[in-house]
Amino acid sequence: MGKKIYKSINKNYENSCDGFVCKVCGKFVKQLNNGGKQRNHCPYCLTSIHVDNNKGDRQSSCKGIMEPISVWVKRNGEWAIIHRCKTCGKLSANRIAFDDNSLKLISLAMKPISSIPFPIERIIE
Ligand SMILES: [Zn+2]
Ligand SMILES: [Zn+2]
């Protein structure tokens, strides 16, 4: 029975109406309910799927997993997640949603600082 439900949810993902099951963390993600804005990544693990060639067109046949690799702070202070497709390497920026996992967002933003590729003393000197 469980499998059947999963299948029908997957169908919804294709149509992107009610929601989708995240391919990475397996959680069911409800679609956002504000002014037709499409959700473009999972709010739990922040992963996205490569479905667009150009923003929102759903024309890509890649369907690769898009890993969140960084945070981009826009001029107005708004955050966007930079996603990189594991299959083809495409980069894209996606605005964050109000229910995105804030801890995950912050750890994403901290990542470069927590693994500085040169000795930290060099900054202090
Ligand atoms: Zn997820
Ligand atoms: Zn791709």
Side-chain angles (χ1 to χ4, degrees):
M1 185 194 157
K3 249 187 191 158
K4 216 175 182 184
I5 290 174
Y6 185 77
K7 248 188 187 165
S8 71
I9 291 170
N10 251 355
K11 227 181 191 177
N12 279 343
Y13 170 72
E14 297 300 329
N15 304 325
S16 224
C17 44
D18 302 314
F20 59 90
V21 170
C22 175
K23 281 188 183 170
V24 174
C25 71
K27 289 203 169 79
F28 179 69
V29 180
K30 267 203 233 157
Q31 217 26 271
L32 287 172
N33 233 347
N34 53 347
K37 239 180 248 163
Q38 293 279 358
R39 195 194 278 287
N40 49 39
H41 58 267
C42 170
Y44 305 103
C45 68
L46 308 181
T47 305
S48 183
I49 300 293
H50 188 182
V51 290
D52 296 344
N53 283 332
N54 295 302
K55 212 150 208 63
D57 65 6
R58 310 260 146 186
Q59 291 302 305
S60 175
S61 54
C62 176
K63 305 284 190 289
I65 287 168
M66 297 196 78
E67 196 181 12
I69 57 165
S70 190
V71 169
W72 169 35
V73 184
K74 297 189 188 180
R75 212 178 279 189
N76 60 5
E78 194 183 300
W79 276 26
I81 300 172
I82 307 297
H83 284 105
R84 184 181 184 277
C85 180
K86 282 183 166 179
T87 306
C88 71
K90 185 191 158 83
L91 294 166
S92 76
N94 294 293
R95 54 194 306 179
I96 61 169
F98 70 96
D99 58 349
D100 281 352
N101 184 328
S102 43
L103 203 64
K104 277 259 161 68
L105 282 172
I106 288 168
S107 73
L108 198 59
M110 295 289 286
K111 232 179 193 172
I113 299 300
S114 63
S115 62
I116 294 177
F118 45 79
I120 193 115
E121 297 80 39
R122 229 192 276 174
I123 311 172
I124 299 160
E125 273 165 16

mmCIF file of all heavy atoms in Angstrom, residues 44-95:
data_model
loop_
_atom_site.group_PDB
_atom_site.id
_atom_site.type_symbol
_atom_site.label_atom_id
_atom_site.label_comp_id
_atom_site.label_asym_id
_atom_site.label_seq_id
_atom_site.Cartn_x
_atom_site.Cartn_y
_atom_site.Cartn_z
ATOM 1 N N TYR A 44 13.653 20.864 3.793
ATOM 2 C CA TYR A 44 14.325 20.099 4.844
ATOM 3 C C TYR A 44 15.811 19.943 4.566
ATOM 4 O O TYR A 44 16.640 20.209 5.422
ATOM 5 C CB TYR A 44 13.672 18.718 4.998
ATOM 6 C CG TYR A 44 12.189 18.801 5.251
ATOM 7 C CD1 TYR A 44 11.269 18.534 4.233
ATOM 8 C CD2 TYR A 44 11.711 19.180 6.509
ATOM 9 C CE1 TYR A 44 9.903 18.627 4.470
ATOM 10 C CE2 TYR A 44 10.348 19.283 6.740
ATOM 11 C CZ TYR A 44 9.453 19.003 5.718
ATOM 12 O OH TYR A 44 8.104 19.104 5.945
ATOM 13 N N CYS A 45 16.165 19.515 3.350
ATOM 14 C CA CYS A 45 17.585 19.295 3.047
ATOM 15 C C CYS A 45 18.097 20.305 2.022
ATOM 16 O O CYS A 45 19.269 20.286 1.674
ATOM 17 C CB CYS A 45 17.810 17.861 2.567
ATOM 18 S SG CYS A 45 17.075 17.502 0.966
ATOM 19 N N LEU A 46 17.217 21.170 1.527
ATOM 20 C CA LEU A 46 17.548 22.266 0.599
ATOM 21 C C LEU A 46 17.994 21.806 -0.790
ATOM 22 O O LEU A 46 18.490 22.589 -1.584
ATOM 23 C CB LEU A 46 18.619 23.203 1.193
ATOM 24 C CG LEU A 46 18.363 23.756 2.605
ATOM 25 C CD1 LEU A 46 19.494 24.682 3.025
ATOM 26 C CD2 LEU A 46 17.032 24.488 2.679
ATOM 27 N N THR A 47 17.811 20.514 -1.070
ATOM 28 C CA THR A 47 18.184 19.988 -2.369
ATOM 29 C C THR A 47 17.128 20.326 -3.416
ATOM 30 O O THR A 47 15.954 20.461 -3.103
ATOM 31 C CB THR A 47 18.332 18.456 -2.280
ATOM 32 O OG1 THR A 47 19.259 18.159 -1.258
ATOM 33 C CG2 THR A 47 18.825 17.873 -3.584
ATOM 34 N N SER A 48 17.559 20.475 -4.659
ATOM 35 C CA SER A 48 16.641 20.755 -5.751
ATOM 36 C C SER A 48 16.841 19.705 -6.844
ATOM 37 O O SER A 48 17.774 18.914 -6.783
ATOM 38 C CB SER A 48 16.937 22.166 -6.275
ATOM 39 O OG SER A 48 16.035 22.514 -7.285
ATOM 40 N N ILE A 49 15.951 19.688 -7.808
ATOM 41 C CA ILE A 49 16.098 18.766 -8.935
ATOM 42 C C ILE A 49 16.229 19.600 -10.205
ATOM 43 O O ILE A 49 15.528 20.600 -10.377
ATOM 44 C CB ILE A 49 14.874 17.821 -9.052
ATOM 45 C CG1 ILE A 49 14.700 16.982 -7.782
ATOM 46 C CG2 ILE A 49 15.010 16.889 -10.272
ATOM 47 C CD1 ILE A 49 15.784 15.965 -7.499
ATOM 48 N N HIS A 50 17.127 19.184 -11.089
ATOM 49 C CA HIS A 50 17.354 19.936 -12.319
ATOM 50 C C HIS A 50 16.214 19.695 -13.307
ATOM 51 O O HIS A 50 16.225 18.734 -14.057
ATOM 52 C CB HIS A 50 18.701 19.514 -12.922
ATOM 53 C CG HIS A 50 19.104 20.362 -14.083
ATOM 54 N ND1 HIS A 50 20.245 20.125 -14.796
ATOM 55 C CD2 HIS A 50 18.514 21.454 -14.627
ATOM 56 C CE1 HIS A 50 20.327 21.041 -15.760
ATOM 57 N NE2 HIS A 50 19.300 21.843 -15.675
ATOM 58 N N VAL A 51 15.212 20.570 -13.265
ATOM 59 C CA VAL A 51 14.064 20.417 -14.159
ATOM 60 C C VAL A 51 13.938 21.552 -15.176
ATOM 61 O O VAL A 51 13.217 21.429 -16.161
ATOM 62 C CB VAL A 51 12.719 20.307 -13.387
ATOM 63 C CG1 VAL A 51 12.631 18.993 -12.640
ATOM 64 C CG2 VAL A 51 12.538 21.474 -12.438
ATOM 65 N N ASP A 52 14.647 22.660 -14.927
ATOM 66 C CA ASP A 52 14.504 23.826 -15.812
ATOM 67 C C ASP A 52 15.736 24.057 -16.679
ATOM 68 O O ASP A 52 16.864 23.906 -16.220
ATOM 69 C CB ASP A 52 14.314 25.104 -14.970
ATOM 70 C CG ASP A 52 13.025 25.091 -14.164
ATOM 71 O OD1 ASP A 52 12.155 24.271 -14.486
ATOM 72 O OD2 ASP A 52 12.915 25.903 -13.242
ATOM 73 N N ASN A 53 15.527 24.431 -17.929
ATOM 74 C CA ASN A 53 16.605 24.986 -18.732
ATOM 75 C C ASN A 53 16.721 26.470 -18.420
ATOM 76 O O ASN A 53 17.774 26.990 -18.102
ATOM 77 C CB ASN A 53 16.339 24.792 -20.227
ATOM 78 C CG ASN A 53 16.627 23.355 -20.650
ATOM 79 O OD1 ASN A 53 17.447 22.672 -20.045
ATOM 80 N ND2 ASN A 53 15.934 22.899 -21.686
ATOM 81 N N ASN A 54 15.573 27.145 -18.542
ATOM 82 C CA ASN A 54 15.482 28.525 -18.098
ATOM 83 C C ASN A 54 14.456 28.570 -16.978
ATOM 84 O O ASN A 54 13.522 27.769 -16.958
ATOM 85 C CB ASN A 54 15.058 29.438 -19.251
ATOM 86 C CG ASN A 54 16.123 29.472 -20.322
ATOM 87 O OD1 ASN A 54 17.264 29.829 -20.056
ATOM 88 N ND2 ASN A 54 15.761 29.048 -21.525
ATOM 89 N N LYS A 55 14.660 29.491 -16.074
ATOM 90 C CA LYS A 55 13.865 29.535 -14.857
ATOM 91 C C LYS A 55 12.380 29.246 -15.063
ATOM 92 O O LYS A 55 11.687 29.951 -15.785
ATOM 93 C CB LYS A 55 14.026 30.910 -14.201
ATOM 94 C CG LYS A 55 13.919 30.805 -12.711
ATOM 95 C CD LYS A 55 14.745 31.862 -12.000
ATOM 96 C CE LYS A 55 15.192 31.386 -10.633
ATOM 97 N NZ LYS A 55 16.059 30.251 -10.574
ATOM 98 N N GLY A 56 11.904 28.157 -14.447
ATOM 99 C CA GLY A 56 10.488 27.863 -14.438
ATOM 100 C C GLY A 56 9.934 27.163 -15.675
ATOM 101 O O GLY A 56 8.750 26.892 -15.749
ATOM 102 N N ASP A 57 10.781 26.851 -16.666
ATOM 103 C CA ASP A 57 10.219 26.281 -17.905
ATOM 104 C C ASP A 57 9.996 24.763 -17.841
ATOM 105 O O ASP A 57 9.292 24.202 -18.671
ATOM 106 C CB ASP A 57 11.067 26.668 -19.131
ATOM 107 C CG ASP A 57 12.469 26.077 -19.111
ATOM 108 O OD1 ASP A 57 12.784 25.270 -18.203
ATOM 109 O OD2 ASP A 57 13.250 26.431 -20.003
ATOM 110 N N ARG A 58 10.627 24.091 -16.841
ATOM 111 C CA ARG A 58 10.468 22.635 -16.668
ATOM 112 C C ARG A 58 10.848 21.864 -17.925
ATOM 113 O O ARG A 58 10.289 20.809 -18.194
ATOM 114 C CB ARG A 58 9.031 22.271 -16.267
ATOM 115 C CG ARG A 58 8.473 23.058 -15.124
ATOM 116 C CD ARG A 58 8.539 22.308 -13.823
ATOM 117 N NE ARG A 58 8.783 23.247 -12.722
ATOM 118 C CZ ARG A 58 9.016 22.911 -11.467
ATOM 119 N NH1 ARG A 58 9.060 21.669 -11.132
ATOM 120 N NH2 ARG A 58 9.241 23.804 -10.536
ATOM 121 N N GLN A 59 11.761 22.402 -18.724
ATOM 122 C CA GLN A 59 12.083 21.779 -20.008
ATOM 123 C C GLN A 59 13.341 20.914 -19.964
ATOM 124 O O GLN A 59 13.685 20.280 -20.958
ATOM 125 C CB GLN A 59 12.258 22.856 -21.095
ATOM 126 C CG GLN A 59 10.984 23.582 -21.482
ATOM 127 C CD GLN A 59 9.913 22.625 -21.973
ATOM 128 O OE1 GLN A 59 10.131 21.844 -22.895
ATOM 129 N NE2 GLN A 59 8.750 22.647 -21.338
ATOM 130 N N SER A 60 14.031 20.874 -18.868
ATOM 131 C CA SER A 60 15.280 20.127 -18.839
ATOM 132 C C SER A 60 15.021 18.623 -18.750
ATOM 133 O O SER A 60 14.146 18.176 -18.007
ATOM 134 C CB SER A 60 16.142 20.555 -17.658
ATOM 135 O OG SER A 60 17.286 19.752 -17.592
ATOM 136 N N SER A 61 15.787 17.862 -19.498
ATOM 137 C CA SER A 61 15.646 16.412 -19.423
ATOM 138 C C SER A 61 16.687 15.829 -18.479
ATOM 139 O O SER A 61 16.795 14.620 -18.341
ATOM 140 C CB SER A 61 15.787 15.800 -20.819
ATOM 141 O OG SER A 61 17.004 16.232 -21.394
ATOM 142 N N CYS A 62 17.461 16.665 -17.842
ATOM 143 C CA CYS A 62 18.556 16.202 -16.973
ATOM 144 C C CYS A 62 18.031 15.485 -15.730
ATOM 145 O O CYS A 62 18.392 14.348 -15.470
ATOM 146 C CB CYS A 62 19.438 17.375 -16.572
ATOM 147 S SG CYS A 62 20.738 16.911 -15.409
ATOM 148 N N LYS A 63 17.144 16.145 -14.977
ATOM 149 C CA LYS A 63 16.549 15.606 -13.746
ATOM 150 C C LYS A 63 17.595 15.171 -12.721
ATOM 151 O O LYS A 63 17.330 14.325 -11.871
ATOM 152 C CB LYS A 63 15.620 14.412 -14.051
ATOM 153 C CG LYS A 63 14.522 14.704 -15.075
ATOM 154 C CD LYS A 63 13.385 15.523 -14.494
ATOM 155 C CE LYS A 63 12.203 15.607 -15.422
ATOM 156 N NZ LYS A 63 12.412 16.445 -16.601
ATOM 157 N N GLY A 64 18.780 15.760 -12.810
ATOM 158 C CA GLY A 64 19.826 15.455 -11.837
ATOM 159 C C GLY A 64 19.519 16.086 -10.485
ATOM 160 O O GLY A 64 18.689 16.987 -10.385
ATOM 161 N N ILE A 65 20.195 15.596 -9.469
ATOM 162 C CA ILE A 65 20.030 16.171 -8.133
ATOM 163 C C ILE A 65 20.875 17.427 -8.035
ATOM 164 O O ILE A 65 22.055 17.426 -8.384
ATOM 165 C CB ILE A 65 20.434 15.149 -7.055
ATOM 166 C CG1 ILE A 65 19.350 14.070 -6.965
ATOM 167 C CG2 ILE A 65 20.653 15.818 -5.694
ATOM 168 C CD1 ILE A 65 19.746 12.870 -6.157
ATOM 169 N N MET A 66 20.241 18.518 -7.619
ATOM 170 C CA MET A 66 20.962 19.769 -7.485
ATOM 171 C C MET A 66 21.291 20.021 -6.021
ATOM 172 O O MET A 66 20.407 20.232 -5.196
ATOM 173 C CB MET A 66 20.171 20.920 -8.098
ATOM 174 C CG MET A 66 19.969 20.731 -9.592
ATOM 175 S SD MET A 66 19.450 22.208 -10.456
ATOM 176 C CE MET A 66 20.959 23.146 -10.609
ATOM 177 N N GLU A 67 22.578 19.978 -5.757
ATOM 178 C CA GLU A 67 23.080 20.087 -4.405
ATOM 179 C C GLU A 67 23.204 21.559 -4.007
ATOM 180 O O GLU A 67 23.701 22.355 -4.790
ATOM 181 C CB GLU A 67 24.472 19.444 -4.423
ATOM 182 C CG GLU A 67 25.056 19.097 -3.123
ATOM 183 C CD GLU A 67 26.454 18.484 -3.318
ATOM 184 O OE1 GLU A 67 27.011 18.544 -4.419
ATOM 185 O OE2 GLU A 67 26.964 17.959 -2.333
ATOM 186 N N PRO A 68 22.757 21.923 -2.796
ATOM 187 C CA PRO A 68 22.971 23.307 -2.356
ATOM 188 C C PRO A 68 24.439 23.498 -2.016
ATOM 189 O O PRO A 68 24.990 22.742 -1.216
ATOM 190 C CB PRO A 68 22.097 23.415 -1.100
ATOM 191 C CG PRO A 68 21.957 22.025 -0.592
ATOM 192 C CD PRO A 68 22.080 21.109 -1.782
ATOM 193 N N ILE A 69 25.111 24.436 -2.661
ATOM 194 C CA ILE A 69 26.552 24.570 -2.401
ATOM 195 C C ILE A 69 26.919 25.879 -1.707
ATOM 196 O O ILE A 69 27.981 25.990 -1.132
ATOM 197 C CB ILE A 69 27.395 24.433 -3.691
ATOM 198 C CG1 ILE A 69 26.963 25.458 -4.741
ATOM 199 C CG2 ILE A 69 27.303 23.023 -4.255
ATOM 200 C CD1 ILE A 69 27.975 25.616 -5.869
ATOM 201 N N SER A 70 26.040 26.869 -1.780
ATOM 202 C CA SER A 70 26.404 28.134 -1.159
ATOM 203 C C SER A 70 25.190 29.037 -0.989
ATOM 204 O O SER A 70 24.110 28.736 -1.486
ATOM 205 C CB SER A 70 27.457 28.835 -2.029
ATOM 206 O OG SER A 70 27.981 29.947 -1.337
ATOM 207 N N VAL A 71 25.390 30.124 -0.290
ATOM 208 C CA VAL A 71 24.344 31.126 -0.126
ATOM 209 C C VAL A 71 24.791 32.407 -0.806
ATOM 210 O O VAL A 71 25.940 32.807 -0.692
ATOM 211 C CB VAL A 71 24.074 31.399 1.375
ATOM 212 C CG1 VAL A 71 23.186 32.618 1.565
ATOM 213 C CG2 VAL A 71 23.447 30.182 2.029
ATOM 214 N N TRP A 72 23.882 33.009 -1.539
ATOM 215 C CA TRP A 72 24.153 34.278 -2.188
ATOM 216 C C TRP A 72 23.294 35.339 -1.498
ATOM 217 O O TRP A 72 22.079 35.196 -1.411
ATOM 218 C CB TRP A 72 23.797 34.179 -3.685
ATOM 219 C CG TRP A 72 23.782 35.481 -4.416
ATOM 220 C CD1 TRP A 72 24.595 36.560 -4.218
ATOM 221 C CD2 TRP A 72 22.895 35.844 -5.495
ATOM 222 N NE1 TRP A 72 24.283 37.559 -5.106
ATOM 223 C CE2 TRP A 72 23.251 37.156 -5.889
ATOM 224 C CE3 TRP A 72 21.858 35.182 -6.157
ATOM 225 C CZ2 TRP A 72 22.575 37.827 -6.915
ATOM 226 C CZ3 TRP A 72 21.195 35.844 -7.173
ATOM 227 C CH2 TRP A 72 21.557 37.152 -7.555
ATOM 228 N N VAL A 73 23.924 36.382 -0.994
ATOM 229 C CA VAL A 73 23.175 37.471 -0.379
ATOM 230 C C VAL A 73 22.971 38.553 -1.425
ATOM 231 O O VAL A 73 23.927 39.160 -1.907
ATOM 232 C CB VAL A 73 23.912 38.059 0.846
ATOM 233 C CG1 VAL A 73 23.059 39.126 1.519
ATOM 234 C CG2 VAL A 73 24.254 36.962 1.839
ATOM 235 N N LYS A 74 21.732 38.781 -1.788
ATOM 236 C CA LYS A 74 21.442 39.774 -2.815
ATOM 237 C C LYS A 74 21.563 41.183 -2.243
ATOM 238 O O LYS A 74 21.665 41.378 -1.041
ATOM 239 C CB LYS A 74 20.016 39.556 -3.345
ATOM 240 C CG LYS A 74 19.843 38.221 -4.016
ATOM 241 C CD LYS A 74 18.498 38.189 -4.698
ATOM 242 C CE LYS A 74 18.185 36.798 -5.221
ATOM 243 N NZ LYS A 74 16.888 36.767 -5.892
ATOM 244 N N ARG A 75 21.520 42.149 -3.119
ATOM 245 C CA ARG A 75 21.735 43.528 -2.725
ATOM 246 C C ARG A 75 20.718 44.002 -1.680
ATOM 247 O O ARG A 75 21.010 44.800 -0.817
ATOM 248 C CB ARG A 75 21.660 44.424 -3.971
ATOM 249 C CG ARG A 75 22.572 45.635 -3.860
ATOM 250 C CD ARG A 75 22.515 46.456 -5.103
ATOM 251 N NE ARG A 75 23.361 45.906 -6.157
ATOM 252 C CZ ARG A 75 23.611 46.544 -7.289
ATOM 253 N NH1 ARG A 75 23.076 47.725 -7.522
ATOM 254 N NH2 ARG A 75 24.391 46.003 -8.205
ATOM 255 N N ASN A 76 19.515 43.474 -1.774
ATOM 256 C CA ASN A 76 18.471 43.878 -0.817
ATOM 257 C C ASN A 76 18.512 43.055 0.473
ATOM 258 O O ASN A 76 17.606 43.137 1.297
ATOM 259 C CB ASN A 76 17.087 43.774 -1.469
ATOM 260 C CG ASN A 76 16.777 42.351 -1.929
ATOM 261 O OD1 ASN A 76 17.549 41.423 -1.680
ATOM 262 N ND2 ASN A 76 15.655 42.168 -2.594
ATOM 263 N N GLY A 77 19.547 42.240 0.611
ATOM 264 C CA GLY A 77 19.687 41.459 1.836
ATOM 265 C C GLY A 77 19.000 40.105 1.785
ATOM 266 O O GLY A 77 19.140 39.284 2.685
ATOM 267 N N GLU A 78 18.267 39.860 0.713
ATOM 268 C CA GLU A 78 17.569 38.583 0.568
ATOM 269 C C GLU A 78 18.577 37.472 0.274
ATOM 270 O O GLU A 78 19.547 37.690 -0.432
ATOM 271 C CB GLU A 78 16.578 38.706 -0.592
ATOM 272 C CG GLU A 78 15.553 37.599 -0.646
ATOM 273 C CD GLU A 78 14.653 37.730 -1.862
ATOM 274 O OE1 GLU A 78 13.968 38.769 -1.975
ATOM 275 O OE2 GLU A 78 14.666 36.820 -2.692
ATOM 276 N N TRP A 79 18.294 36.298 0.831
ATOM 277 C CA TRP A 79 19.185 35.160 0.583
ATOM 278 C C TRP A 79 18.674 34.309 -0.571
ATOM 279 O O TRP A 79 17.464 34.120 -0.731
ATOM 280 C CB TRP A 79 19.264 34.265 1.820
ATOM 281 C CG TRP A 79 20.272 34.713 2.841
ATOM 282 C CD1 TRP A 79 20.715 35.988 3.036
ATOM 283 C CD2 TRP A 79 20.931 33.896 3.817
ATOM 284 N NE1 TRP A 79 21.617 36.011 4.067
ATOM 285 C CE2 TRP A 79 21.766 34.744 4.570
ATOM 286 C CE3 TRP A 79 20.897 32.527 4.111
ATOM 287 C CZ2 TRP A 79 22.566 34.269 5.606
ATOM 288 C CZ3 TRP A 79 21.682 32.063 5.157
ATOM 289 C CH2 TRP A 79 22.512 32.921 5.884
ATOM 290 N N ALA A 80 19.624 33.807 -1.343
ATOM 291 C CA ALA A 80 19.299 32.808 -2.365
ATOM 292 C C ALA A 80 20.279 31.652 -2.207
ATOM 293 O O ALA A 80 21.416 31.843 -1.780
ATOM 294 C CB ALA A 80 19.414 33.422 -3.754
ATOM 295 N N ILE A 81 19.814 30.452 -2.518
ATOM 296 C CA ILE A 81 20.684 29.281 -2.454
ATOM 297 C C ILE A 81 21.272 29.044 -3.835
ATOM 298 O O ILE A 81 20.551 29.078 -4.834
ATOM 299 C CB ILE A 81 19.895 28.027 -2.014
ATOM 300 C CG1 ILE A 81 19.278 28.247 -0.638
ATOM 301 C CG2 ILE A 81 20.795 26.795 -2.000
ATOM 302 C CD1 ILE A 81 18.326 27.134 -0.228
ATOM 303 N N ILE A 82 22.566 28.815 -3.895
ATOM 304 C CA ILE A 82 23.179 28.420 -5.153
ATOM 305 C C ILE A 82 23.165 26.896 -5.216
ATOM 306 O O ILE A 82 23.695 26.220 -4.340
ATOM 307 C CB ILE A 82 24.638 28.925 -5.261
ATOM 308 C CG1 ILE A 82 24.720 30.434 -5.015
ATOM 309 C CG2 ILE A 82 25.233 28.558 -6.623
ATOM 310 C CD1 ILE A 82 23.985 31.289 -6.012
ATOM 311 N N HIS A 83 22.497 26.377 -6.232
ATOM 312 C CA HIS A 83 22.427 24.935 -6.440
ATOM 313 C C HIS A 83 23.335 24.531 -7.588
ATOM 314 O O HIS A 83 23.432 25.241 -8.579
ATOM 315 C CB HIS A 83 20.991 24.512 -6.790
ATOM 316 C CG HIS A 83 20.067 24.485 -5.610
ATOM 317 N ND1 HIS A 83 19.108 25.453 -5.396
ATOM 318 C CD2 HIS A 83 19.951 23.602 -4.584
ATOM 319 C CE1 HIS A 83 18.442 25.151 -4.280
ATOM 320 N NE2 HIS A 83 18.923 24.043 -3.771
ATOM 321 N N ARG A 84 23.969 23.356 -7.437
ATOM 322 C CA ARG A 84 24.794 22.839 -8.513
ATOM 323 C C ARG A 84 24.343 21.419 -8.833
ATOM 324 O O ARG A 84 24.231 20.572 -7.948
ATOM 325 C CB ARG A 84 26.275 22.820 -8.107
ATOM 326 C CG ARG A 84 27.191 22.391 -9.215
ATOM 327 C CD ARG A 84 28.637 22.361 -8.747
ATOM 328 N NE ARG A 84 29.516 22.030 -9.858
ATOM 329 C CZ ARG A 84 29.757 20.772 -10.258
ATOM 330 N NH1 ARG A 84 29.221 19.761 -9.620
ATOM 331 N NH2 ARG A 84 30.550 20.556 -11.296
ATOM 332 N N CYS A 85 24.071 21.184 -10.112
ATOM 333 C CA CYS A 85 23.586 19.870 -10.542
ATOM 334 C C CYS A 85 24.714 18.848 -10.489
ATOM 335 O O CYS A 85 25.781 19.057 -11.055
ATOM 336 C CB CYS A 85 23.014 19.946 -11.954
ATOM 337 S SG CYS A 85 22.391 18.353 -12.523
ATOM 338 N N LYS A 86 24.459 17.745 -9.786
ATOM 339 C CA LYS A 86 25.468 16.699 -9.646
ATOM 340 C C LYS A 86 25.705 15.974 -10.965
ATOM 341 O O LYS A 86 26.725 15.336 -11.160
ATOM 342 C CB LYS A 86 25.023 15.676 -8.598
ATOM 343 C CG LYS A 86 25.225 16.132 -7.166
ATOM 344 C CD LYS A 86 24.817 15.003 -6.228
ATOM 345 C CE LYS A 86 25.306 15.252 -4.817
ATOM 346 N NZ LYS A 86 24.888 14.171 -3.910
ATOM 347 N N THR A 87 24.723 16.029 -11.865
ATOM 348 C CA THR A 87 24.836 15.304 -13.126
ATOM 349 C C THR A 87 25.554 16.125 -14.192
ATOM 350 O O THR A 87 26.488 15.656 -14.821
ATOM 351 C CB THR A 87 23.440 14.887 -13.631
ATOM 352 O OG1 THR A 87 22.787 14.166 -12.591
ATOM 353 C CG2 THR A 87 23.532 14.013 -14.868
ATOM 354 N N CYS A 88 25.104 17.370 -14.400
ATOM 355 C CA CYS A 88 25.660 18.148 -15.508
ATOM 356 C C CYS A 88 26.440 19.383 -15.061
ATOM 357 O O CYS A 88 27.055 20.054 -15.877
ATOM 358 C CB CYS A 88 24.554 18.546 -16.486
ATOM 359 S SG CYS A 88 23.444 19.809 -15.822
ATOM 360 N N GLY A 89 26.403 19.692 -13.766
ATOM 361 C CA GLY A 89 27.210 20.798 -13.267
ATOM 362 C C GLY A 89 26.574 22.171 -13.388
ATOM 363 O O GLY A 89 27.194 23.169 -13.042
ATOM 364 N N LYS A 90 25.329 22.245 -13.867
ATOM 365 C CA LYS A 90 24.670 23.541 -14.008
ATOM 366 C C LYS A 90 24.484 24.214 -12.637
ATOM 367 O O LYS A 90 24.140 23.563 -11.658
ATOM 368 C CB LYS A 90 23.293 23.354 -14.658
ATOM 369 C CG LYS A 90 22.582 24.679 -14.961
ATOM 370 C CD LYS A 90 21.125 24.408 -15.355
ATOM 371 C CE LYS A 90 20.250 25.620 -15.161
ATOM 372 N NZ LYS A 90 20.284 26.576 -16.260
ATOM 373 N N LEU A 91 24.727 25.507 -12.619
ATOM 374 C CA LEU A 91 24.518 26.278 -11.396
ATOM 375 C C LEU A 91 23.245 27.088 -11.523
ATOM 376 O O LEU A 91 22.921 27.576 -12.608
ATOM 377 C CB LEU A 91 25.680 27.244 -11.170
ATOM 378 C CG LEU A 91 27.049 26.649 -10.867
ATOM 379 C CD1 LEU A 91 28.133 27.703 -11.017
ATOM 380 C CD2 LEU A 91 27.087 26.049 -9.475
ATOM 381 N N SER A 92 22.497 27.221 -10.426
ATOM 382 C CA SER A 92 21.346 28.123 -10.466
ATOM 383 C C SER A 92 21.108 28.717 -9.088
ATOM 384 O O SER A 92 21.457 28.130 -8.073
ATOM 385 C CB SER A 92 20.102 27.415 -10.988
ATOM 386 O OG SER A 92 19.567 26.587 -9.996
ATOM 387 N N ALA A 93 20.535 29.894 -9.059
ATOM 388 C CA ALA A 93 20.243 30.573 -7.801
ATOM 389 C C ALA A 93 18.750 30.514 -7.548
ATOM 390 O O ALA A 93 17.950 30.784 -8.442
ATOM 391 C CB ALA A 93 20.711 32.019 -7.877
ATOM 392 N N ASN A 94 18.368 30.131 -6.348
ATOM 393 C CA ASN A 94 16.959 30.025 -5.999
ATOM 394 C C ASN A 94 16.683 30.732 -4.682
ATOM 395 O O ASN A 94 17.353 30.473 -3.691
ATOM 396 C CB ASN A 94 16.559 28.552 -5.866
ATOM 397 C CG ASN A 94 16.648 27.826 -7.182
ATOM 398 O OD1 ASN A 94 15.902 28.099 -8.110
ATOM 399 N ND2 ASN A 94 17.598 26.905 -7.293
ATOM 400 N N ARG A 95 15.679 31.601 -4.703
ATOM 401 C CA ARG A 95 15.364 32.322 -3.464
ATOM 402 C C ARG A 95 14.905 31.355 -2.400
ATOM 403 O O ARG A 95 14.283 30.328 -2.689
ATOM 404 C CB ARG A 95 14.333 33.411 -3.735
ATOM 405 C CG ARG A 95 13.082 32.913 -4.423
ATOM 406 C CD ARG A 95 12.280 34.055 -4.959
ATOM 407 N NE ARG A 95 11.992 35.030 -3.882
ATOM 408 C CZ ARG A 95 11.310 36.154 -4.067
ATOM 409 N NH1 ARG A 95 10.856 36.443 -5.256
ATOM 410 N NH2 ARG A 95 11.086 36.963 -3.064
#
